[in-house]
Amino acid sequence: MAGLRRFPPYLSEMQEEIEGHARDYGLDFFPIIYEVLDYKTMNEVAAYGGFPTRYPHWRFGMDYEQLAKGYEWGLQKIYEMVINTNPAYAYLLEGNSLVDQKTVMGHVCAHVDFFKNNYYFSKTNRKMIDGMANHAALVRRHMARHGQDVVEDFIDTCLTLENLIDPMSPYISRVAPAKDGDDDDDARDGDDVPRMRAKQYMDKFINPPEYLEAQRKKKEEEKKRLRRRFPEEPQRDVLLFLIKNAPVDSWQRDILEIVRNEAYYFAPQAMTKIMNEGWATYWHSTIMTQKAATAAEIIDYADATAGVLASAPGRLNPYKLGIELFRYIESRWNKGQFGKEWDECDSLDAKRDWDRRLGMGRRKIFEVRRLHNDITFLDEFFTLDFCIEQKFYTFGFSERSGNWEIQSREFKKVKDQMLRMLTNRGQPFIYVEDANLENRTELLLRHAHDGTDLDLGQAKDTLRALHKVWTRPVSLLTRVEGKGKVFRCDDSTITEKPADYPA
Amino acid sequence: MSQRIDLDHGRFRQIIRGKIKQNLRKYISQGEMIARKGKDTVSIPLPQVDLPRFKWGDKQGGGVGQGDGQPGDALGQGQDKPGQGEAGDRPGEHMVELEVSLAELAEIMGEELELPRIQPKGTEKIVAWKDRFTGVRNTGPESLRHFRRTFKQALRRQISLGTYDPRNPVIIPIRDDKRYRSWRSEPLPQSNAVIIYMMDVSGSMGDEQKEIVRIESFWIDTWLRSQYHGIESRYIIHDAMAKEVDRDTFFRTRESGGTMISSAYKLCAKMIEDDYPPALWNIYPFHFSDGDNWSIDDTHACVELLKHKILPAVNLFAYGQVESPYGSGQFIKDLSEHFDDDQRVVTSEIKGKDAIMDSIKEFLGKGR
C-alpha cells in the first residue's frame, strides 16, 4: 500500500507492553496488525471505511475530499482506525506523539475484544478484507463489460436503498420453517369455522347453518386474499426482496448483493456504536492511568482524552455516554446495587449508602459487552440516577423562537427519546407490503410511522431509485402531518394522494 | 505518489464538474460566485451531492444532549440542527462547498458555451526576466555579502581551530569564510493582453445595471485569463467626462449627469496609444452602457474614433447595452449600422441577469 511505513521496533515493543496489560485485565482479542500511515493514506483508508480496496465509486472520493479538507484546515484528524477482521488491522497516524500511540493501542485492543466477543458481531465475515477485494474485482469486471457510467449509476441507485435491510435478521428467523404436510392444513381447518359459544341445545339457534355458511365463506375469501398477496408477510429486508424478485440483469443482481452484503457487515457497528466506543475508551483510560502512562505523559494523555469525551450542546457523544454508563454499571455491581432488594428499597438514604462490597463490577461489564447492543444497553442500565447525574436533556425545534431548544430534563422523556433515536439505527422502518398492488405487479412499501414524518424530498428521490430497480410503478404509504398519504412513482413522475393509514 | 483514491476522487470531481455545468446559468446570473472568490479559486455551494435515503424529516426530530441549561434555553441560533450523534462527525451535509480553480471554471464555461480558443496575436510571448535571491554561495561581489552567514562561518572556523577567545570575542573572517547571496534569473511571463473595461455611470445606470456589468466582466475576465498568461485590466468610467479608476471604484461609483460616450473612447484610444503597441498586445476593450448617448454628434465622434483609432489596434471591441429602467438607448443601433460587417465589433443587448450568459457567448464566441 502506498504510504505504508515499516512498523518501527519501538512501536512493536509498545504494542507488546500494552497488549500484555490488556490481557492481564482479561481482554480477549484477535491478533492485531498495526500499520503506520501518513495522513494522506490515512484519509484514503478512512474514506474506504478502513479497507485497503473497495469497488470504484465516486462517493469514496467525496468522503476523501471532506476528510482531506478537514485535516488541512486543522478541524479534524483521525487518530486511529481499526477494522473488524481476524487478524484485526489497525492504523496509526505517522507523527503522532508516543502517548497518543500508546493510548490508541489500548483503545484498539478493547475494540478488537469487542468485535471478537460481542454477540452482534458474531455473524460478521472476519475475512472481510478479501470480501471487499472480491466485490471490487467483480464490480470492475462489470464496469469493463457494461460501461463505468451504467454500472456506477446503478450502484448509486442501490446505495440509495442501502439502509433498507433488517439488521436483526442474522440473529433470529423471521419465518417459521414450513411444516410437513402443509396441504393437509387447508382441509383440516376448512371445518374449523368460528362458532359462538353455546350450550349444545342452543347451538342451532345461536349458530344457525346460514351463519356458519357465511363464516365459512368469509374464511375462504380471506384465504384467497392471502394467497393472492405477495409477499405474504410484510418484509423488512427490501434489498433481499428485490434481489429475489426484481426483474434485473444478473450483473445488477450482483451489485444489489454486494451493497446488501456490505450493509450487513457494517450494521453491527452502527448498532453498538455507544457501547463499542465506551468500552474502548474505558479500557484505554484504565490501561493508561493504571499501567502504561509515565508521570511525564499523564498530562498529555489526560488532555487528549478530555478532547475525546467533550460534549457540545445538542450533541450526544457516544464515547462519553458509553464510558460513563460502563463505569456506572461497574460501580453498581461493585456495591451490590442490584436485584430484588435494591429494586424494592425506597429509602433514598439507604440507597445512597448502599454498599455490599460485592466487587462484581468487572465481571458484570464483561458480561454486558458480550450480550448487549446499544438499545438493550441503554434500556437496561440508563436509570433515573444516571440521567440526573449526567445531566441529560431532550431538545427539539421550537417554532416559537425559531431555535433548537432544551425541552425537558424529565427522565422518561429523555430515555424515550434516546431509545427512539437508536431504534433501527435512527432510521425509519420501511416494509415491502405488497408486490402485486391491485394485481398490477406494482410495488407498495409502507413506512411504519412512529411519530416522525419522513423527509419527503428525499423519500421521493428514493422512490425514483426504487422504480429503476423494480421497473413497474412503486408506491409508498406513509403519514404526513397526521394524515395517511400514498406517493406513487411512475416513470419518474410522482403523484400523491390521500390514503387510509392503519393506526 | 499515486493513490488508489485518486481514481474515485477524480470521478467525484468529474461529477461535480457536471453539476456545475448544469447549473452554470444559475451561478452566472446569481453572481454569488464572485463573492466567494479566493485567490485562484472560487468555492461553490452545491446542494446535495449525497444520495437520497428514506430518512426522518428534520424538524420533528429533536434529540438528546448532555450538559447544563434550563428547559427553554436555546442550543444555538437558527434553523440548523445542532450537531448530533457521533463526536467528530461531519458537519451538516445539506450543502457542500467545493473549491474549484478559476482555470477549471473557465474551462467548464468554455465547454458549456462552446467558446472557441483564442489565437493570440504575435506568436512570440513577451517574457521578462526577474532576478530572485535563491541561496548562498562562496563567491560574489562584496555588495552581496551575507553578513550573518559569513560571521557564523568565521566563528565556526575559529572555534574549531581553537583561536576563539570568549573573553575577547573578535571574529576576523578570511576569504574562505565569506558567503554571498546568489540569485537566479527566472522568466516572468509578462502580460501581453489587456482588457479595457469602460462603463457608463451616468444617472440612468442603476445598481441593478452595474451588478450585471460586474457579473459579466467577472466571467469575461475569467475566460480571458484562462486564454492568456497574465493579463492586465484597466478600468474607465464615464458620464460626460471619462477617467481611469481602479477596479473597486469602477463597480461602485455612481455619478449623475449626461452621457458622452466619446469621452471614454478618447481615453481608451489614448491608453492604447501610450501603453499598448498593437503589434505586441492583444487588446480587448469592453464597453457597457445603457446606450442613451447625449447627441448624434457625439455618436458620430464615437464612430470616427472607433474607425480610425481603436479598431485598427484591437482584437475585439465589445459593446454591451444594459437595459435600464429608462429603456434601452439608440447607441447599439448606431454601432451596428456602421460596423455591421466588421468582425472586430460585437454588440450585445443584455436585458437582465438571465441574459448574461447569452451575452458572454456573443462576446467571446468569435474566438478573437
Side-chain angles (χ1 to χ4, degrees):
Chain A
M1 184 188 305
L4 175 64
R5 302 286 181 275
R6 209 169 51 80
F7 196 55
Y10 66 91
L11 283 179
S12 84
E13 273 165 35
M14 192 186 274
Q15 179 183 3
E16 218 163 281
E17 183 202 335
I18 300 289
E19 290 185 357
H21 294 314
R23 270 191 208 96
D24 292 345
Y25 279 117
L27 292 179
D28 163 32
F29 39 88
F30 298 128
I32 301 170
I33 297 169
Y34 283 100
E35 284 176 10
V36 181
L37 305 180
D38 59 25
Y39 77 91
K40 275 192 181 145
T41 318
M42 187 69 136
N43 286 337
E44 173 186 312
V45 173
Y48 283 142
F51 287 87
T53 324
R54 296 291 292 274
Y55 56 80
H57 193 258
W58 58 268
R59 167 187 53 136
F60 302 125
M62 177 174 75
D63 289 349
Y64 175 77
E65 170 141 337
Q66 267 166 3
L67 287 167
K69 274 227 181 89
Y71 183 88
E72 279 157 24
W73 294 343
L75 296 177
Q76 61 180 2
K77 165 163 132 177
I78 302 163
Y79 274 93
E80 145 269 348
M81 217 173 1
V82 52
I83 50 175
N84 166 33
T85 51
N86 180 14
Y89 284 84
Y91 307 96
L92 299 171
L93 183 62
E94 178 191 52
N96 266 353
S97 72
L98 291 189
V99 198
D100 284 345
Q101 305 291 37
K102 240 189 230 182
T103 311
V104 165
M105 283 179 177
H107 200 83
V108 164
C109 283
H111 271 314
V112 178
D113 167 86
F114 197 91
F115 292 149
K116 184 173 173 186
N117 293 291
N118 182 271
Y119 175 70
Y120 293 90
F121 283 91
S122 60
K123 314 279 183 197
T124 50
N125 178 6
R126 310 285 192 186
K127 297 268 173 247
M128 200 55 183
I129 291 196
D130 300 345
M132 293 289 186
N134 289 342
H135 293 169
L138 192 56
V139 171
R140 286 212 174 85
R141 206 159 70 217
H142 287 319
M143 281 183 169
R145 179 131 189 206
H146 303 279
Q148 182 170 15
D149 291 339
V150 180
V151 175
E152 195 173 57
D153 191 52
F154 194 73
I155 294 177
D156 286 358
T157 304
C158 296
L159 287 175
T160 296
L161 310 170
E162 179 188 42
N163 58 345
L164 305 181
I165 57 171
D166 183 359
M168 283 297 178
S169 65
Y171 317 102
I172 47 178
S173 57
R174 294 266 184 220
V175 190
K179 272 178 263 160
D180 289 338
D182 229 5
D183 299 335
D184 303 350
D185 279 359
D186 284 341
R188 227 183 303 128
D189 47 43
D191 300 334
D192 199 15
V193 172
R195 289 159 174 261
M196 306 262 193
R197 259 169 56 135
K199 297 229 167 77
Q200 204 168 14
Y201 67 93
M202 288 291 283
D203 188 59
K204 66 178 175 191
F205 299 104
I206 289 177
N207 293 313
E210 307 89 75
Y211 171 78
L212 282 181
E213 192 52 36
Q215 287 296 311
R216 187 171 294 126
K217 266 208 183 118
K218 206 169 151 194
K219 192 155 185 201
E220 247 154 42
E221 244 155 51
E222 174 79 1
K223 224 190 254 161
K224 241 190 227 159
R225 201 179 61 78
L226 264 181
R227 208 173 288 147
R228 209 184 318 137
R229 184 170 170 151
F230 179 75
E232 280 180 23
E233 293 291 322
Q235 294 220 350
R236 266 197 72 193
D237 196 334
V238 180
L239 276 179
L240 179 65
F241 183 83
L242 291 175
I243 289 170
K244 283 186 178 161
N245 301 299
V248 290
D249 293 344
S250 72
W251 70 267
Q252 291 173 314
R253 194 155 284 136
D254 282 350
I255 304 280
L256 277 166
E257 266 164 16
I258 285 170
V259 167
R260 177 170 175 271
N261 184 298
E262 295 186 3
Y264 271 105
Y265 173 78
F266 286 117
Q269 278 163 49
M271 284 156 67
T272 59
K273 176 90 185 162
I274 294 169
M275 284 184 76
N276 207 338
E277 293 302 353
W279 183 250
T281 312
Y282 175 95
W283 282 110
H284 88 229
S285 131
T286 306
I287 290 171
M288 286 300 279
T289 51
Q290 294 183 0
K291 306 273 184 189
T294 64
E297 291 171 338
I298 201 76
I299 297 288
D300 287 338
Y301 156 76
D303 189 36
T305 301
V308 172
L309 295 181
S311 45
R315 165 172 290 184
L316 195 62
N317 181 340
Y319 294 77
K320 169 87 175 157
L321 173 55
I323 189 177
E324 294 294 354
L325 200 47
F326 270 118
R327 283 188 173 148
Y328 176 70
I329 296 168
E330 185 180 23
S331 133
R332 275 182 61 196
W333 261 259
N334 273 339
K335 293 178 177 167
Q337 296 176 344
F338 60 91
K340 189 166 187 288
E341 219 180 323
W342 165 263
D343 288 341
E344 283 171 1
C345 170
D346 48 14
S347 152
L348 276 179
D349 282 339
K351 278 195 152 179
R352 193 181 311 121
D353 301 328
W354 190 293
D355 191 354
R356 296 274 192 275
R357 298 182 187 285
L358 293 184
M360 288 164 70
R362 269 289 151 75
R363 221 172 71 203
K364 183 65 185 177
I365 58 173
F366 271 96
E367 177 195 308
V368 168
R369 79 96 160 73
R370 179 181 288 280
L371 297 177
H372 286 269
N373 62 34
D374 281 351
I375 294 178
T376 59
F377 183 57
L378 285 160
D379 193 25
E380 180 96 18
F381 302 108
F382 190 90
T383 62
L384 174 62
D385 292 341
F386 184 76
C387 180
I388 293 171
E389 188 187 301
Q390 294 288 327
K391 300 186 184 168
F392 282 102
Y393 56 77
T394 62
F395 65 87
F397 187 76
S398 156
E399 296 287 352
R400 191 176 44 77
S401 69
N403 285 328
W404 290 85
E405 289 181 346
I406 296 180
Q407 277 176 337
S408 169
R409 288 188 177 276
E410 202 181 310
F411 168 64
K412 193 177 167 328
K413 284 190 181 151
V414 172
K415 186 157 180 176
D416 281 355
Q417 173 73 340
M418 195 168 282
L419 291 177
R420 215 175 60 83
M421 276 160 49
L422 293 171
T423 304
N424 196 28
R425 302 165 296 154
Q427 291 164 1
F429 286 94
I430 308 282
Y431 293 89
V432 177
E433 193 75 8
D434 194 345
N436 191 21
L437 188 61
E438 321 245 332
N439 205 12
R440 286 150 53 105
T441 62
E442 294 187 16
L443 188 67
L444 174 69
L445 301 186
R446 185 172 59 89
H447 165 220
H449 198 284
D450 51 5
T452 313
D453 290 355
L454 290 177
D455 180 329
L456 292 180
Q458 297 229 357
K460 287 176 190 168
D461 287 342
T462 312
L463 276 183
R464 289 193 183 98
L466 193 64
H467 179 261
K468 276 194 207 160
V469 181
W470 188 249
T471 64
R472 293 279 302 145
V474 288
S475 305
L476 171 75
L477 173 62
T478 181
R479 219 168 69 195
V480 182
E481 284 163 358
K483 293 197 185 84
K485 273 218 165 114
V486 167
F487 295 89
R488 181 165 179 274
C489 172
D490 186 0
D491 282 334
S492 83
T493 42
I494 302 242
T495 49
E496 155 180 358
K497 62 176 186 205
D500 282 342
Y501 187 92
Chain B
M1 195 185 325
S2 109
Q3 292 178 293
R4 259 173 245 270
I5 197 80
D6 289 345
L7 287 177
D8 293 320
H9 192 221
R11 193 79 190 150
F12 169 64
R13 300 294 303 198
Q14 215 177 324
I15 289 171
I16 293 309
R17 273 182 68 123
K19 292 234 171 199
I20 295 174
K21 220 161 141 180
Q22 263 173 29
N23 294 320
L24 194 66
R25 189 170 284 271
K26 197 181 86 199
Y27 290 130
I28 287 182
S29 57
Q30 279 172 359
E32 60 182 308
M33 251 196 239
I34 308 167
R36 300 168 170 277
K37 191 168 165 254
K39 193 162 172 285
D40 299 311
T41 57
V42 279
S43 60
I44 299 174
L46 273 182
Q48 216 192 3
V49 197
D50 226 347
L51 296 161
R53 297 276 154 88
F54 282 128
K55 61 179 202 181
W56 286 334
D58 229 10
K59 288 212 173 150
Q60 292 168 37
V64 175
Q66 197 175 359
D68 295 319
Q70 292 298 313
D73 286 0
L75 292 171
Q77 295 292 313
Q79 300 271 325
D80 289 338
K81 193 170 185 175
Q84 192 200 338
E86 303 150 39
D89 202 5
R90 291 187 206 109
E93 291 185 319
H94 307 296
M95 281 287 197
V96 193
E97 292 250 321
L98 280 156
E99 294 220 337
V100 180
S101 69
L102 286 175
E104 198 175 350
L105 199 58
E107 207 175 299
I108 294 171
M109 179 170 77
E111 280 170 24
E112 179 65 15
L113 294 179
E114 297 170 345
L115 299 180
R117 304 215 160 265
I118 293 173
Q119 288 291 332
K121 230 197 272 180
T123 44
E124 276 172 67
K125 282 234 166 80
I126 302 168
V127 165
W129 293 87
K130 187 182 160 61
D131 296 335
R132 276 184 43 178
F133 291 119
T134 51
V136 169
R137 60 184 174 186
N138 293 343
T139 55
E142 284 305 304
S143 59
L144 288 183
R145 194 183 60 221
H146 196 305
F147 179 80
R148 200 151 55 102
R149 295 287 278 270
T150 305
F151 180 86
K152 261 167 87 178
Q153 204 61 35
L155 180 64
R156 186 185 293 170
R157 177 180 50 79
Q158 286 193 358
I159 289 173
S160 59
L161 285 176
T163 58
Y164 176 69
D165 178 6
R167 278 161 305 177
N168 182 24
V170 180
I171 307 291
I172 303 160
I174 61 168
R175 196 180 158 73
D176 283 352
D177 295 333
K178 291 196 177 163
R179 294 291 181 271
Y180 303 89
R181 289 185 173 84
S182 77
W183 70 93
R184 208 169 56 209
S185 293
E186 288 176 341
L188 186 74
Q190 192 173 304
S191 54
N192 60 345
V194 59
I195 314 175
I196 302 169
Y197 294 103
M198 291 171 276
M199 181 167 39
D200 177 359
V201 288
S202 63
S204 49
M205 289 283 285
D207 286 342
E208 167 103 21
Q209 283 71 39
K210 259 180 235 148
E211 174 76 3
I212 291 172
V213 175
R214 201 161 74 97
I215 294 169
E216 180 143 353
S217 31
F218 170 80
W219 288 99
I220 289 169
D221 212 63
T222 304
W223 173 250
L224 288 178
R225 261 171 217 285
S226 75
Q227 300 292 311
Y228 291 102
H229 211 77
I231 197 163
E232 272 184 34
S233 314
R234 304 282 290 263
Y235 301 91
I236 295 172
I237 53 175
H238 73 91
D239 44 16
M241 298 268 288
K243 60 183 167 195
E244 187 180 359
V245 293
D246 60 21
R247 185 186 167 84
D248 225 34
T249 324
F250 182 76
F251 290 118
R252 282 191 194 165
T253 316
R254 173 159 193 178
E255 318 254 307
S256 55
T259 311
M260 302 253 285
I261 295 176
S262 68
S263 65
Y265 289 5
K266 233 176 258 163
L267 186 56
C268 172
K270 187 172 175 318
M271 220 178 239
I272 294 172
E273 205 173 288
D274 291 353
D275 297 337
Y276 306 107
L280 300 175
W281 287 83
N282 297 282
I283 303 168
Y284 293 90
F286 282 86
H287 180 219
F288 299 97
S289 165
D290 57 1
D292 229 353
N293 205 9
W294 181 251
S295 65
I296 300 173
D297 288 348
D298 191 68
T299 303
H300 190 67
C302 290
V303 170
E304 286 305 306
L305 273 166
L306 277 175
K307 235 179 218 160
H308 300 298
K309 297 260 175 138
I310 298 182
L311 286 185
V314 303
N315 291 35
L316 183 74
F317 179 88
Y319 173 71
Q321 184 152 304
V322 190
E323 194 158 290
S324 79
Y326 311 103
S328 208
Q330 178 70 24
F331 195 66
I332 191 164
K333 287 187 197 128
D334 296 336
L335 277 186
S336 5
E337 207 171 284
H338 284 95
F339 301 106
D340 204 23
D341 41 359
D342 194 324
Q343 282 290 309
R344 292 166 300 184
V345 178
V346 198
T347 56
S348 165
E349 255 189 294
I350 313 162
K351 291 228 159 67
K353 284 188 177 174
D354 291 335
I356 291 176
M357 194 147 138
D358 302 321
S359 153
I360 292 173
K361 192 169 160 68
E362 279 173 354
F363 280 158
L364 302 174
K366 293 199 168 173
R368 292 182 64 98

